[in-house]
Amino acid sequence: MPKASAGPEIERLIQLLARLPGLGPRSARRAALHLVKKREQLLGPLADATRAAAERIVTCSVCGNIDTSDPCAICSDQERDPRIIVVVEDVADLWALERAGVLNARYHVLGGVLSPLDGIGPDDLNITGLVGRAAEGGVEEIIIALNATVDGQTTAHYLTDSLRHLPVKITRLAHGVPVGGELDYLDEGTLGAALRSRTAF
Amino acid sequence: MVEGVPVEQAPVGGGFPRARVVRLGLTDFRSYDTLSITTDAPLVALSGDNGAGKTNILEALSLFTPGRGLRRAELGRMLRHGATGFSVFAALDRGGCEPAVNLGVGLQPDPEGGRATRLCRIDGDTVSSPAAFAEYLRLVWLTPDLDALFRGPAGDRRRFLDRLVLAVDSGHGSRVAALERATRSRNRLLEEGARDPRWLDAVEREIAELGIAVAVARAETVTRLAGLIARARNNDSPFPDAGLALEGETDALVVQHPALEAEDVYRERLRNERGRDRAAGRTLFGPQASDLVVRHAPKDIPAGEASTGEQKALLIGLVLAHAGLVRSMTGHAPIVLLDEVAAHLDTARRAALYRLLADIGGQVWMTGADPALFADLPEGSLHLAIAGGTASPRI
């Protein structure tokens, strides 16, 4: 075990930074040093922002999104189409779809996908909330935007089954050719999926 | 269905892009600190004492395809003792007007001290997975591990078959892995006692889709391979024809029904057999219960009942036919890796083997302990002596 090269406050900062995704001990050290050097411009504001976020962050009781108000900014936005709900696994996926900015709909964050091997079942996910929202009326379409993995697709089947009794159209994202992609470079599975879900011109 | 070009009608040499490894470089790989082999030979023979590191060279080449290579070892085990990373470099000559390409695969230590990661590079650019190499080369191999294939458990033959499928259908590996995961999920749910039948329904729907896709892909490869063997039939060949068939309930299902109907039947069966599967602790129905049945065609007996020598000859014939199939379906004459194959053959059979290998038009790397095995190599071949971590041409 190497000896600590800085005081306990800085060491603690490094240890915490190292727990962030994408940062290891070495890059955490670099980041800490950068923060310490930019105490006024960066370290102070970051500390304030972190504290403010820690105090105010809540999970939206409607859709499961993370925000500083409940309901979240998306759920309370009157401009959004209340007839469409997009189901995503995680807040990161919600953000990705928002970045694309093509849909002015509401969301529902499941908080994971069904995975018996990881001990995640229907009760661990925000599924009852989704069925409740769909049953309330006013919802016409539910778009299932889950990953094309075994667990993602199993969850999609489960949701379809759970919503079957409601007069709601259930759709899922298309699988196939990426925008700007060349057919020549696609694997056979993707090409097959693209052919199966082809659309009329 | 795309009809394959039979081997005997295919143009030899010029018609297909051939991939030849013209330079192979190993760093910190297994027994080698550094090794460099430069060649333009279509046939490369490696001879040397047991443990000299001949198979290590074949294993290095086998990393240019998805999976764990021909020993099915973890990448971490391929590190030279004391090293933290390894690299394998291959410069490919693709003949004719195709540009040459440089491929690299390696294990890169994590500077932060975490898990080392597999690194794949094509012409200096990092690619996400070894599946990307499939555009430049295909690999087919035969190792002594397969000697007991016909007498051993059905699981070995399924794995062998899945490798054959993978060489012509690069999506097959992820399909099989996904089916395994979905099946394990179902077994877990059954074991825990299903609280929610809809959950089991959802998992079973996924299993049925994947299971039928796996069964269809296997059936297609077996049909094509059987067709190719039948067209190339030659009773004078020292490598007897193999009769191939898939045996299993799922395989019968995809023959009798179109895919969507087959999925419905599959789902129905899974639903009805939950009790039985719970008692068994595993899912009994599905492609995981299939078997590749191989017969010694000229004698019309099960391959497992043929003599040891005949089984070896049958296996070589099968691998050669597969190399032909890879060539006709992918347009790539494959690189063939033959580990300890020559030792089982007499002089006449070795000569026949070299002739057949030359017909495929790719490149062959083979090993053998006794240098005399390779005394009758065709002209233009390269024979290397492997000893003490070096490779030197034998004259």
Side-chain angles (χ1 to χ4, degrees), chain B residues 1-67:
Chain B
M1 195 150 141
V2 185
E3 191 57 33
V5 182
V7 164
E8 75 273 22
Q9 289 169 17
V12 172
F16 289 92
R18 52 151 220 227
R20 266 186 206 167
V21 175
V22 289
R23 198 150 73 79
L24 177 70
L26 311 185
T27 309
D28 288 336
F29 185 83
R30 295 269 189 196
S31 50
Y32 298 97
D33 53 2
T34 59
L35 177 78
S36 177
I37 297 173
T38 307
T39 176
D40 60 351
L43 207 159
V44 181
L46 311 169
S47 64
D49 295 341
N50 294 328
K54 306 179 293 289
T55 307
N56 293 349
I57 296 175
L58 301 193
E59 184 182 38
L61 285 164
S62 73
L63 294 181
F64 290 104
T65 186

Side-chain angles (χ1 to χ4, degrees), chain A residues 93-106:
Chain A
D93 300 326
L94 186 157
W95 288 351
L97 286 166
E98 279 295 289
R99 265 204 313 279
V102 284
L103 205 62
N104 192 32
R106 304 230 162 126

Side-chain angles (χ1 to χ4, degrees), chain B residues 178-235:
Chain B
L179 175 64
E180 265 173 30
R181 182 174 174 91
T183 307
R184 272 190 293 135
S185 292
R186 178 175 182 266
N187 296 345
R188 178 69 63 86
L189 284 181
L190 288 175
E191 181 192 317
E192 288 172 353
R195 291 153 292 182
D196 185 345
R198 272 177 312 180
W199 192 1
L200 259 176
D201 284 346
V203 174
E204 287 172 357
R205 180 184 294 245
E206 192 62 15
I207 292 178
E209 277 177 24
L210 292 164
I212 293 298
V214 167
V216 166
R218 283 181 182 165
E220 248 181 63
T221 300
V222 168
T223 308
R224 287 178 182 175
L225 198 54
L228 193 140
I229 291 171
R231 283 194 297 274
R233 177 150 297 159
N234 173 6
N235 288 331

